[in-house]
Coordinates of all heavy atoms in Angstrom, one line a residue:
M1 N 60.3 104.6 102.6 CA 61.6 104.2 101.9 C 62.6 103.7 102.9 O 62.7 104.2 104.0 CB 62.1 105.4 101.1 CG 63.4 105.1 100.4 SD 63.9 106.5 99.4 CE 64.1 105.7 97.8
Q2 N 63.3 102.6 102.5 CA 64.2 102.0 103.4 C 65.5 102.9 103.6 O 66.0 103.4 102.6 CB 64.6 100.6 102.8 CG 65.6 99.8 103.6 CD 65.9 98.5 103.0 OE1 65.5 98.2 101.9 NE2 66.7 97.7 103.7
E3 N 66.0 103.0 104.8 CA 67.2 103.7 105.1 C 68.4 103.0 104.6 O 68.5 101.7 104.7 CB 67.3 104.0 106.6 CG 68.5 104.8 107.0 CD 68.6 105.0 108.5 OE1 67.5 104.9 109.2 OE2 69.7 105.3 108.9
M4 N 69.3 103.7 104.0 CA 70.5 103.1 103.5 C 71.4 102.6 104.6 O 71.7 103.3 105.6 CB 71.3 104.0 102.6 CG 72.5 103.4 101.9 SD 73.6 104.6 101.0 CE 72.5 105.3 99.9
E5 N 71.9 101.3 104.5 CA 72.8 100.7 105.4 C 74.2 100.9 104.8 O 74.4 100.5 103.6 CB 72.5 99.3 105.7 CG 71.5 99.0 106.7 CD 71.4 97.5 107.0 OE1 72.3 97.1 107.8 OE2 70.6 96.8 106.5
K6 N 75.1 101.3 105.6 CA 76.5 101.5 105.0 C 77.5 100.7 105.9 O 77.3 100.4 107.0 CB 76.9 103.0 105.1 CG 76.1 103.9 104.2 CD 76.5 105.3 104.3 CE 75.6 106.3 103.6 NZ 76.0 107.7 103.8
A7 N 78.6 100.4 105.2 CA 79.7 99.8 105.9 C 81.0 100.4 105.4 O 81.1 101.0 104.3 CB 79.7 98.3 105.6
V8 N 82.1 100.2 106.2 CA 83.4 100.7 105.8 C 84.3 99.4 105.6 O 84.3 98.5 106.4 CB 84.0 101.5 106.9 CG1 85.5 101.9 106.5 CG2 83.2 102.8 107.1
I9 N 84.9 99.4 104.4 CA 85.9 98.3 104.1 C 87.3 98.9 104.1 O 87.5 99.9 103.4 CB 85.5 97.7 102.7 CG1 84.1 97.0 102.8 CG2 86.6 96.6 102.3 CD1 83.6 96.5 101.5
T10 N 88.2 98.2 104.8 CA 89.6 98.6 104.8 C 90.4 97.5 104.2 O 90.2 96.3 104.5 CB 90.1 99.0 106.2 OG1 89.9 97.9 107.1 CG2 89.3 100.2 106.7
V11 N 91.4 97.9 103.4 CA 92.4 96.9 102.8 C 93.8 97.5 103.0 O 94.1 98.6 102.7 CB 92.1 96.8 101.3 CG1 93.0 95.8 100.7 CG2 90.6 96.5 101.0
L12 N 94.6 96.6 103.6 CA 96.0 97.0 103.9 C 97.0 95.9 103.6 O 96.7 94.7 103.9 CB 96.1 97.4 105.4 CG 97.5 97.9 105.9 CD1 97.9 99.1 105.1 CD2 97.4 98.1 107.4
G13 N 98.1 96.2 102.9 CA 99.1 95.2 102.7 C 100.1 95.6 101.6 O 100.0 96.8 101.1
Q14 N 101.0 94.7 101.2 CA 101.9 95.0 100.2 C 101.2 95.2 98.9 O 100.3 94.5 98.5 CB 102.9 93.8 100.0 CG 103.9 93.6 101.1 CD 105.1 94.4 100.9 OE1 105.5 94.8 99.8 NE2 105.7 94.8 102.0
D15 N 101.6 96.2 98.1 CA 101.0 96.5 96.9 C 101.3 95.4 95.8 O 102.4 94.8 95.8 CB 101.5 97.9 96.3 CG 100.8 98.3 95.1 OD1 99.6 98.0 95.0 OD2 101.4 98.9 94.2
C16 N 100.2 95.1 95.1 CA 100.4 94.2 94.0 C 99.3 94.4 92.9 O 98.3 95.1 93.2 CB 100.3 92.7 94.4 SG 98.8 92.2 95.1
V17 N 99.4 93.9 91.8 CA 98.5 94.1 90.7 C 97.1 93.5 91.0 O 97.1 92.3 91.5 CB 99.0 93.5 89.4 CG1 97.9 93.6 88.3 CG2 100.3 94.3 88.9
G18 N 96.0 94.2 90.8 CA 94.7 93.6 90.9 C 94.0 93.7 92.2 O 92.9 93.2 92.3
I19 N 94.5 94.4 93.2 CA 93.9 94.5 94.5 C 92.5 95.1 94.4 O 91.5 94.5 94.8 CB 94.7 95.2 95.6 CG1 96.0 94.5 95.8 CG2 93.9 95.4 96.8 CD1 97.0 95.3 96.7
T20 N 92.4 96.3 93.8 CA 91.1 97.0 93.7 C 90.2 96.2 92.9 O 89.0 96.1 93.2 CB 91.4 98.4 93.1 OG1 92.3 99.1 93.9 CG2 90.1 99.2 93.0
A21 N 90.6 95.6 91.8 CA 89.7 94.9 90.9 C 89.1 93.7 91.6 O 87.9 93.4 91.5 CB 90.5 94.4 89.6
K22 N 89.9 92.9 92.3 CA 89.5 91.7 93.0 C 88.5 92.1 94.1 O 87.5 91.4 94.3 CB 90.6 90.9 93.5 CG 91.4 90.2 92.4 CD 92.5 89.4 92.8 CE 93.2 88.8 91.6 NZ 94.4 88.0 92.0
V23 N 88.8 93.1 94.9 CA 87.8 93.5 96.0 C 86.5 94.0 95.3 O 85.4 93.6 95.8 CB 88.5 94.6 96.8 CG1 87.4 95.2 97.8 CG2 89.7 94.1 97.6
C24 N 86.6 94.8 94.3 CA 85.4 95.3 93.6 C 84.6 94.2 93.0 O 83.4 94.2 93.0 CB 85.8 96.3 92.6 SG 86.3 97.9 93.3
T25 N 85.2 93.1 92.5 CA 84.5 92.0 91.9 C 83.7 91.3 93.0 O 82.5 91.0 92.8 CB 85.5 91.0 91.3 OG1 86.2 91.7 90.2 CG2 84.8 89.7 90.8
V26 N 84.3 91.1 94.2 CA 83.5 90.4 95.3 C 82.3 91.3 95.7 O 81.2 90.8 95.9 CB 84.5 90.2 96.5 CG1 83.6 89.8 97.8 CG2 85.5 89.2 96.2
L27 N 82.5 92.6 95.7 CA 81.4 93.5 96.1 C 80.3 93.5 95.0 O 79.2 93.4 95.3 CB 82.0 94.9 96.3 CG 83.0 95.1 97.4 CD1 83.4 96.6 97.5 CD2 82.5 94.6 98.7
A28 N 80.7 93.6 93.7 CA 79.7 93.6 92.7 C 78.9 92.3 92.7 O 77.7 92.3 92.5 CB 80.4 93.8 91.3
E29 N 79.6 91.1 92.8 CA 78.9 89.8 92.9 C 77.9 89.7 94.0 O 77.0 89.0 94.0 CB 79.9 88.7 92.9 CG 80.7 88.5 91.7 CD 81.9 87.5 91.8 OE1 82.2 87.1 93.0 OE2 82.5 87.2 90.8
S30 N 78.2 90.5 95.1 CA 77.3 90.5 96.3 C 76.3 91.6 96.3 O 75.6 91.8 97.3 CB 78.2 90.6 97.5 OG 79.2 89.6 97.5
N31 N 76.2 92.4 95.2 CA 75.3 93.5 95.0 C 75.6 94.6 96.1 O 74.6 95.2 96.7 CB 73.8 93.1 95.1 CG 72.9 94.1 94.5 OD1 73.2 94.6 93.4 ND2 71.7 94.3 95.1
I32 N 76.8 94.9 96.3 CA 77.2 96.0 97.2 C 77.8 97.1 96.4 O 78.7 96.9 95.5 CB 78.3 95.5 98.2 CG1 77.7 94.4 99.1 CG2 78.9 96.6 99.0 CD1 78.7 93.7 100.0
N33 N 77.2 98.3 96.6 CA 77.6 99.5 95.8 C 78.7 100.3 96.5 O 78.5 100.6 97.7 CB 76.4 100.3 95.5 CG 76.7 101.4 94.5 OD1 77.4 101.3 93.6 ND2 76.1 102.6 94.8
I34 N 79.7 100.7 95.8 CA 80.7 101.6 96.4 C 80.2 103.0 96.3 O 79.9 103.5 95.2 CB 82.1 101.4 95.6 CG1 82.6 100.0 95.7 CG2 83.1 102.4 96.2 CD1 83.7 99.7 94.7
L35 N 80.2 103.7 97.5 CA 79.8 105.1 97.6 C 81.0 106.0 97.5 O 80.9 107.1 97.0 CB 79.0 105.3 98.8 CG 77.7 104.4 99.0 CD1 77.1 104.6 100.4 CD2 76.7 104.8 97.9
D36 N 82.1 105.6 98.1 CA 83.3 106.4 98.2 C 84.5 105.5 98.3 O 84.4 104.5 98.9 CB 83.2 107.4 99.4 CG 84.1 108.6 99.3 OD1 84.8 108.7 98.3 OD2 84.0 109.5 100.2
I37 N 85.6 105.9 97.7 CA 86.8 105.1 97.8 C 88.0 106.0 97.8 O 88.1 107.0 97.2 CB 86.8 104.2 96.6 CG1 88.1 103.2 96.6 CG2 86.8 104.9 95.3 CD1 88.0 102.1 95.6
S38 N 89.0 105.6 98.7 CA 90.2 106.3 98.8 C 91.3 105.3 98.8 O 91.2 104.3 99.6 CB 90.3 107.2 100.0 OG 91.6 107.7 100.2
Q39 N 92.4 105.4 98.0 CA 93.5 104.5 98.1 C 94.8 105.2 98.0 O 94.9 106.2 97.3 CB 93.4 103.4 97.1 CG 93.3 103.8 95.7 CD 93.1 102.6 94.7 OE1 92.4 101.7 95.1 NE2 93.6 102.7 93.5
T40 N 95.8 104.8 98.7 CA 97.1 105.3 98.6 C 98.1 104.2 98.6 O 97.9 103.1 99.1 CB 97.4 106.2 99.8 OG1 97.3 105.5 101.0 CG2 96.6 107.5 99.8
I41 N 99.3 104.5 98.1 CA 100.4 103.5 98.2 C 101.6 104.3 98.7 O 102.0 105.4 98.1 CB 100.8 103.0 96.8 CG1 99.6 102.2 96.2 CG2 102.0 102.0 96.9 CD1 99.7 101.8 94.8
V42 N 102.1 103.9 99.8 CA 103.2 104.6 100.5 C 104.3 103.5 100.8 O 104.1 102.5 101.5 CB 102.8 105.2 101.8 CG1 103.9 105.9 102.5 CG2 101.7 106.2 101.6
G43 N 105.5 103.7 100.2 CA 106.6 102.8 100.5 C 106.3 101.4 100.1 O 106.8 100.5 100.8
G44 N 105.5 101.2 99.1 CA 105.1 99.8 98.6 C 104.0 99.2 99.4 O 103.6 98.1 99.1
Y45 N 103.4 99.9 100.3 CA 102.2 99.4 101.1 C 100.9 100.1 100.5 O 100.8 101.3 100.4 CB 102.4 99.7 102.6 CG 103.4 98.9 103.2 CD1 104.7 99.4 103.3 CD2 103.2 97.6 103.6 CE1 105.7 98.6 103.9 CE2 104.2 96.8 104.1 CZ 105.5 97.3 104.3 OH 106.4 96.5 104.8
F46 N 100.0 99.2 100.3 CA 98.7 99.6 99.7 C 97.7 99.8 100.8 O 97.6 99.0 101.7 CB 98.2 98.5 98.8 CG 96.9 98.8 98.1 CD1 96.8 99.5 96.9 CD2 95.7 98.4 98.7 CE1 95.6 99.7 96.3 CE2 94.5 98.6 98.1 CZ 94.4 99.3 96.9
N47 N 97.0 100.9 100.8 CA 95.9 101.2 101.8 C 94.7 101.7 101.1 O 94.8 102.6 100.3 CB 96.4 102.3 102.8 CG 95.4 102.5 103.9 OD1 94.7 101.7 104.3 ND2 95.4 103.8 104.3
M48 N 93.6 101.1 101.3 CA 92.3 101.5 100.7 C 91.2 101.5 101.7 O 91.1 100.6 102.5 CB 91.9 100.5 99.5 CG 90.6 100.9 98.8 SD 90.4 100.0 97.2 CE 90.3 98.3 97.8
V49 N 90.4 102.5 101.6 CA 89.2 102.6 102.5 C 88.0 102.9 101.6 O 88.1 103.8 100.7 CB 89.3 103.8 103.5 CG1 88.0 103.9 104.4 CG2 90.5 103.6 104.4
M50 N 87.0 102.1 101.7 CA 85.7 102.3 100.9 C 84.5 102.4 101.9 O 84.5 101.8 102.9 CB 85.4 101.0 100.1 CG 86.5 100.6 99.2 SD 86.1 99.0 98.5 CE 86.6 99.2 96.8
V51 N 83.6 103.3 101.5 CA 82.3 103.4 102.1 C 81.4 102.7 101.1 O 81.4 103.1 99.9 CB 81.9 104.8 102.5 CG1 80.5 104.8 103.1 CG2 82.9 105.4 103.4
V52 N 80.6 101.7 101.6 CA 79.8 101.0 100.7 C 78.3 100.9 101.2 O 78.1 101.0 102.4 CB 80.3 99.5 100.5 CG1 81.7 99.5 99.8 CG2 80.4 98.8 101.8
D53 N 77.4 100.7 100.2 CA 76.0 100.6 100.5 C 75.7 99.1 100.6 O 75.8 98.4 99.6 CB 75.2 101.2 99.4 CG 73.7 101.1 99.6 OD1 73.2 100.4 100.6 OD2 72.9 101.6 98.7
I54 N 75.3 98.6 101.8 CA 75.1 97.1 101.9 C 73.6 96.9 102.1 O 73.1 95.7 102.4 CB 75.8 96.6 103.1 CG1 75.4 97.3 104.4 CG2 77.3 96.6 102.9 CD1 76.0 96.6 105.7
T55 N 72.7 97.9 101.8 CA 71.3 97.7 101.9 C 70.7 96.5 101.1 O 69.9 95.8 101.7 CB 70.6 99.0 101.4 OG1 71.2 100.2 102.1 CG2 69.1 99.0 101.7
S56 N 71.2 96.3 99.9 CA 70.6 95.3 99.0 C 71.6 94.1 98.8 O 71.5 93.4 97.8 CB 70.2 95.9 97.7 OG 69.3 96.9 97.9
M57 N 72.6 93.9 99.7 CA 73.6 92.9 99.5 C 72.9 91.5 99.5 O 71.9 91.3 100.2 CB 74.7 93.0 100.4 CG 74.5 92.6 101.8 SD 76.1 92.7 102.7 CE 75.4 92.6 104.4
K58 N 73.4 90.6 98.7 CA 72.8 89.3 98.5 C 73.2 88.3 99.6 O 72.5 87.3 99.8 CB 73.3 88.7 97.1 CG 72.7 89.4 95.9 CD 73.3 88.8 94.6 CE 72.8 89.6 93.4 NZ 73.4 89.0 92.2
L59 N 74.3 88.6 100.3 CA 74.8 87.7 101.3 C 74.5 88.3 102.7 O 74.3 89.5 102.8 CB 76.3 87.5 101.2 CG 76.8 87.0 99.8 CD1 78.3 87.0 99.8 CD2 76.3 85.6 99.6
G60 N 74.6 87.4 103.7 CA 74.6 87.9 105.1 C 75.9 88.6 105.4 O 76.9 88.5 104.7
Y61 N 75.8 89.4 106.5 CA 77.0 90.2 106.9 C 78.2 89.3 107.1 O 79.3 89.6 106.7 CB 76.7 91.1 108.1 CG 77.7 92.1 108.4 CD1 77.7 93.3 107.7 CD2 78.7 91.8 109.3 CE1 78.7 94.2 108.0 CE2 79.7 92.7 109.6 CZ 79.7 93.9 109.0 OH 80.7 94.9 109.2
D62 N 78.0 88.2 107.9 CA 79.1 87.3 108.2 C 79.7 86.6 106.9 O 80.9 86.4 106.8 CB 78.6 86.2 109.2 CG 78.4 86.8 110.6 OD1 78.9 87.8 110.9 OD2 77.7 86.1 111.3
E63 N 78.8 86.4 106.0 CA 79.3 85.7 104.7 C 80.2 86.7 103.9 O 81.2 86.3 103.4 CB 78.1 85.3 103.8 CG 77.3 84.1 104.4 CD 76.0 83.9 103.6 OE1 75.1 84.7 103.6 OE2 76.0 82.8 102.9
I64 N 79.8 87.9 103.8 CA 80.6 88.9 103.0 C 81.9 89.2 103.8 O 83.0 89.3 103.2 CB 79.8 90.2 102.7 CG1 80.6 91.0 101.6 CG2 79.6 91.0 103.9 CD1 80.8 90.3 100.3
S65 N 81.8 89.2 105.1 CA 83.0 89.4 105.9 C 84.0 88.2 105.6 O 85.2 88.4 105.4 CB 82.7 89.5 107.4 OG 83.8 89.6 108.1
E66 N 83.5 87.0 105.6 CA 84.3 85.8 105.4 C 84.9 85.8 103.9 O 86.1 85.5 103.7 CB 83.5 84.5 105.6 CG 84.4 83.3 105.5 CD 85.6 83.2 106.4 OE1 85.5 83.7 107.6 OE2 86.6 82.7 106.0
K67 N 84.1 86.2 103.0 CA 84.6 86.3 101.6 C 85.7 87.3 101.4 O 86.7 87.0 100.8 CB 83.5 86.7 100.6 CG 82.7 85.6 100.1 CD 81.7 86.1 99.0 CE 81.1 85.1 98.2 NZ 81.8 84.7 97.0
L68 N 85.6 88.4 102.1 CA 86.6 89.5 102.0 C 87.9 89.0 102.8 O 89.0 89.2 102.3 CB 86.1 90.8 102.5 CG 85.1 91.5 101.7 CD1 84.4 92.6 102.4 CD2 85.7 91.9 100.3
N69 N 87.7 88.3 103.9 CA 88.8 87.8 104.7 C 89.6 86.8 103.9 O 90.8 86.7 103.9 CB 88.3 87.3 106.0 CG 89.4 86.9 106.9 OD1 90.3 87.7 107.2 ND2 89.4 85.7 107.4
T70 N 88.8 85.9 103.2 CA 89.4 84.8 102.4 C 90.2 85.5 101.3 O 91.4 85.1 101.0 CB 88.4 83.9 101.8 OG1 87.7 83.2 103.0 CG2 89.0 82.8 100.9
L71 N 89.7 86.4 100.6 CA 90.4 87.1 99.5 C 91.7 87.8 100.1 O 92.7 87.6 99.5 CB 89.5 88.2 98.9 CG 90.2 89.1 97.8 CD1 90.6 88.3 96.6 CD2 89.3 90.2 97.4
G72 N 91.5 88.4 101.2 CA 92.7 89.0 101.8 C 93.8 88.0 102.1 O 95.0 88.2 101.8
N73 N 93.4 86.9 102.7 CA 94.4 85.8 103.0 C 95.1 85.3 101.7 O 96.3 85.1 101.7 CB 93.7 84.7 103.7 CG 93.4 85.0 105.1 OD1 93.9 85.9 105.7 ND2 92.4 84.3 105.7
E74 N 94.3 85.1 100.6 CA 94.9 84.7 99.3 C 95.9 85.7 98.8 O 96.8 85.3 98.1 CB 93.8 84.5 98.3 CG 92.9 83.3 98.6 CD 91.6 83.2 97.8 OE1 91.4 84.1 96.9 OE2 90.8 82.3 97.9
M75 N 95.7 87.0 99.0 CA 96.5 88.0 98.5 C 97.5 88.6 99.4 O 98.3 89.5 99.1 CB 95.6 89.2 97.9 CG 94.7 88.7 96.8 SD 93.8 90.2 96.1 CE 95.2 90.9 95.2
G76 N 97.5 88.0 100.7 CA 98.5 88.5 101.7 C 98.1 89.9 102.2 O 99.0 90.7 102.5
L77 N 96.8 90.2 102.3 CA 96.3 91.5 102.7 C 95.4 91.3 103.9 O 94.8 90.2 104.2 CB 95.4 92.1 101.6 CG 96.1 92.3 100.2 CD1 95.0 92.6 99.2 CD2 97.1 93.4 100.3
K78 N 95.1 92.4 104.6 CA 94.1 92.5 105.7 C 92.9 93.2 105.0 O 93.0 94.3 104.6 CB 94.6 93.3 106.9 CG 95.6 92.5 107.7 CD 95.0 91.5 108.5 CE 96.0 90.8 109.4 NZ 95.4 89.6 110.0
V79 N 91.8 92.5 104.9 CA 90.6 93.1 104.4 C 89.5 92.9 105.4 O 89.1 91.8 105.8 CB 90.1 92.4 103.1 CG1 88.9 93.1 102.5 CG2 91.3 92.4 102.1
K80 N 89.0 94.1 105.9 CA 87.9 94.1 106.9 C 86.7 94.9 106.5 O 86.9 95.9 105.8 CB 88.5 94.7 108.2 CG 89.7 94.0 108.8 CD 89.3 92.7 109.4 CE 90.6 92.0 110.0 NZ 90.3 90.7 110.4
I81 N 85.6 94.5 107.0 CA 84.3 95.2 106.8 C 83.7 95.5 108.1 O 83.7 94.6 109.0 CB 83.3 94.5 105.8 CG1 82.1 95.4 105.6 CG2 83.0 93.1 106.4 CD1 81.2 94.9 104.5
Q82 N 83.3 96.7 108.3 CA 82.6 97.1 109.6 C 81.4 97.9 109.2 O 81.5 98.8 108.4 CB 83.5 97.9 110.5 CG 84.6 97.2 111.1 CD 85.4 98.1 112.0 OE1 85.9 99.1 111.6 NE2 85.6 97.7 113.3
H83 N 80.3 97.6 109.9 CA 79.1 98.5 109.7 C 79.5 99.9 110.2 O 80.3 100.0 111.1 CB 77.9 97.9 110.6 CG 76.6 98.4 110.1 ND1 76.2 99.7 110.4 CD2 75.6 97.8 109.4 CE1 75.0 99.9 109.9 NE2 74.6 98.8 109.3
T84 N 79.0 100.9 109.5 CA 79.4 102.3 109.9 C 79.1 102.7 111.3 O 79.8 103.4 111.9 CB 78.8 103.3 108.9 OG1 77.3 103.2 108.9 CG2 79.3 103.2 107.5
K85 N 78.0 102.1 111.9 CA 77.6 102.4 113.2 C 78.7 101.9 114.2 O 79.1 102.6 115.1 CB 76.3 101.8 113.6 CG 75.1 102.4 112.9 CD 73.8 101.7 113.2 CE 72.7 102.4 112.3 NZ 71.4 101.6 112.5
I86 N 79.3 100.7 113.9 CA 80.3 100.2 114.7 C 81.6 100.9 114.5 O 82.4 101.3 115.4 CB 80.5 98.7 114.4 CG1 79.3 97.9 114.9 CG2 81.8 98.1 115.1 CD1 79.3 96.5 114.4
F87 N 81.9 101.2 113.2 CA 83.1 101.9 112.8 C 83.1 103.3 113.5 O 84.1 103.7 114.1 CB 83.2 102.1 111.3 CG 84.5 102.7 110.9 CD1 85.6 101.9 110.6 CD2 84.7 104.1 110.7 CE1 86.8 102.4 110.2 CE2 85.8 104.6 110.2 CZ 86.9 103.8 110.0
D88 N 82.0 104.0 113.4 CA 81.9 105.4 114.1 C 82.1 105.3 115.6 O 82.9 106.1 116.1 CB 80.6 106.0 113.7 CG 80.4 106.4 112.3 OD1 81.5 106.5 111.6 OD2 79.3 106.6 111.8
A89 N 81.5 104.3 116.2 CA 81.7 104.2 117.7 C 83.1 103.9 118.1 O 83.6 104.4 119.1 CB 80.7 103.1 118.2
M90 N 83.8 103.0 117.3 CA 85.2 102.6 117.6 C 86.2 103.8 117.4 O 87.2 103.8 118.0 CB 85.6 101.4 116.8 CG 84.9 100.2 117.2 SD 85.4 98.7 116.2 CE 87.2 98.7 116.5
H91 N 85.9 104.7 116.4 CA 86.8 105.7 116.1 C 86.4 107.1 116.6 O 87.0 108.1 116.1 CB 87.0 105.7 114.5 CG 87.7 104.4 114.1 ND1 86.9 103.3 113.7 CD2 88.9 104.1 114.0 CE1 87.7 102.3 113.4 NE2 88.9 102.7 113.5
R92 N 85.6 107.1 117.5 CA 85.1 108.4 118.1 C 86.2 108.8 119.1 O 86.7 108.0 119.9 CB 83.8 108.2 118.8 CG 83.1 109.5 119.1 CD 81.7 109.3 119.6 NE 80.9 109.0 118.4 CZ 79.9 108.1 118.4 NH1 79.6 107.5 119.5 NH2 79.2 107.9 117.3
I93 N 86.6 110.1 119.0 CA 87.7 110.6 119.9 C 87.0 111.2 121.2 O 86.0 111.8 121.2 CB 88.5 111.7 119.2 CG1 89.2 111.1 118.1 CG2 89.5 112.3 120.2 CD1 90.0 112.0 117.2

């Protein structure tokens, strides 16, 4: 059985209607499953962190990264995806 590949997606910016829906649409169209999600709004700033399963995604990693980046630019947000192995290494204390 194939080992699950995971990534972390972060979204940060001014809160507005439809952020979660638009990010989730890009993920669904790319066959990326959300495993865990956390979002908060503090002082009008939206922050979301998702752990996703990228094992069966339809696009290459660079392509999904570009799609999320483009969506972020259109909405005035920072949207990043990182493989969990890279994320874990960068955030190790």
Side-chain angles (χ1 to χ4, degrees):
M1 181 173 231
Q2 184 178 3
E3 184 179 337
M4 185 185 303
E5 278 190 78
K6 296 179 187 174
V8 175
I9 297 173
T10 56
V11 182
L12 179 63
Q14 288 277 332
D15 187 34
C16 64
V17 173
I19 297 172
T20 304
K22 289 180 181 179
V23 172
C24 289
T25 297
V26 170
L27 299 180
E29 289 171 349
S30 304
N31 201 40
I32 295 173
N33 188 41
I34 299 166
L35 301 172
D36 202 356
I37 184 171
S38 172
Q39 59 185 30
T40 57
I41 301 168
V42 178
Y45 290 95
F46 179 89
N47 182 33
M48 180 167 62
V49 179
M50 301 172 141
V51 177
V52 297
D53 177 1
I54 59 172
T55 308
S56 301
M57 72 177 168
K58 294 178 182 177
L59 302 174
Y61 191 84
D62 289 341
E63 290 173 292
I64 192 62
S65 180
E66 184 59 35
K67 270 188 166 267
L68 291 169
N69 188 51
T70 298
L71 174 65
N73 288 338
E74 290 169 0
M75 298 186 73
L77 305 166
K78 288 285 186 193
V79 183
K80 300 288 182 190
I81 184 170
Q82 289 183 304
H83 200 284
T84 53
K85 292 176 184 175
I86 295 169
F87 187 88
D88 290 344
M90 288 180 58
H91 295 90
R92 196 168 284 143
I93 296 177

